[in-house]
Amino acid sequence: MKKLITLLLLLPLIVFSQKHLRDSVLIKSDIFTIMYSEKLEQPLWVKYEIKCPEGTASRTGMDFYTNDSIHTSDGADYANNVYDKGHIAPAADFNCDKPTLYKTFSYLNCALQNQYLNRGVWRLLEAHERELAKKTKVEVTVKLVFGNEKIPTGATVPTGFYKEIDGNGIHECYYFKNEKPQSSDYNLYKCKN
């Protein structure tokens, strides 16, 4: 009976807090701009310019961290499932020094990304964008697509990812479903016009 009374007393607080989660919050930092959904607990899009295509700062000892003023996903959302803590703005693009690299480990810059996609063709495309950035300024926009799938801890699973890479005379667009890829050749995932 005590548990029921406690639950009934907490229910309005839980409902109240859920109503105040924002559809979108704009975050601008010195390394990226993010539109984040507290309701989805995932970024909607991330824009960044590659800063250090040949950086060497070590990520040893770094892990993702939450933000006090924005409701994000957290470690529980990524436990015991097929989803990696996928950096949307890749850590390797910002490994100029430890403080800059650490900024990429915010859950604001993290998505539930299929581990085979994140560690495979997506990683290869990130290496490609760094190669381009050795020759010219490169700006990248990643847009996440969502359906209705949520994991038990509350975060919404993206159904796919668009990545646009822009530079001096360069415009490339790719789309990946959030599943195990059929190929490691990122050229097969170019957007259809």
Side-chain angles (χ1 to χ4, degrees):
M1 186 66 164
K2 266 187 176 179
K3 287 182 183 181
L4 179 61
I5 292 171
T6 303
L7 180 61
L8 290 174
L9 291 173
L10 288 177
L11 191 58
L13 180 61
I14 293 167
V15 171
F16 177 78
S17 67
Q18 291 297 315
K19 286 182 181 178
H20 284 41
L21 293 178
R22 296 170 283 185
D23 286 322
S24 58
V25 181
L26 184 64
I27 299 102
K28 291 185 178 187
S29 79
D30 59 331
I31 64 168
F32 46 54
T33 302
I34 297 172
M35 185 64 74
Y36 196 88
S37 172
E38 291 179 318
K39 288 183 178 180
L40 300 176
E41 296 183 16
Q42 297 286 281
L44 300 173
W45 55 259
V46 178
K47 293 182 181 184
Y48 58 93
E49 179 184 332
I50 298 170
K51 299 288 185 192
C52 308
E54 299 179 274
T56 58
S58 171
R59 60 168 54 186
T60 302
M62 292 188 190
D63 198 1
F64 281 88
Y65 56 91
T66 58
N67 182 294
D68 290 340
S69 62
I70 299 172
H71 177 76
T72 65
S73 62
D74 59 35
D77 295 308
Y78 300 86
N80 304 314
N81 59 43
V82 71
Y83 301 108
D84 275 351
K85 296 174 185 174
H87 280 89
I88 300 302
D93 289 6
F94 299 94
N95 61 358
C96 322
D97 53 55
K98 283 259 198 198
T100 304
L101 180 61
Y102 183 68
K103 291 175 187 176
T104 69
F105 281 85
S106 168
Y107 276 108
L108 294 168
N109 180 43
C110 182
L112 289 157
Q113 191 170 49
N114 181 283
Q115 64 187 355
Y116 299 104
L117 173 61
N118 185 43
R119 300 174 197 181
V121 67
W122 187 266
R123 178 185 55 81
L124 297 174
L125 183 56
E126 291 172 343
H128 168 68
E129 69 190 44
R130 282 190 295 281
E131 283 301 312
L132 293 173
K134 291 177 184 177
K135 300 174 189 131
T136 189
K137 175 180 165 180
V138 173
E139 295 177 339
V140 180
T141 303
V142 179
K143 297 175 186 171
L144 289 74
V145 180
F146 294 94
N148 296 318
E149 182 185 355
K150 287 186 178 280
I151 56 172
T153 52
T156 303
V157 178
T159 58
F161 303 87
Y162 282 98
K163 179 177 275 204
E164 293 184 42
I165 302 171
D166 291 294
N168 187 16
I170 299 166
H171 178 76
E172 299 176 7
C173 177
Y174 301 87
Y175 175 74
F176 300 91
K177 290 183 178 179
N178 196 15
E179 60 188 30
K180 185 175 183 179
Q182 299 300 309
S183 173
S184 61
D185 181 358
Y186 54 80
N187 289 303
L188 297 176
Y189 298 92
K190 285 191 172 177
C191 298
K192 310 278 190 258
N193 291 349

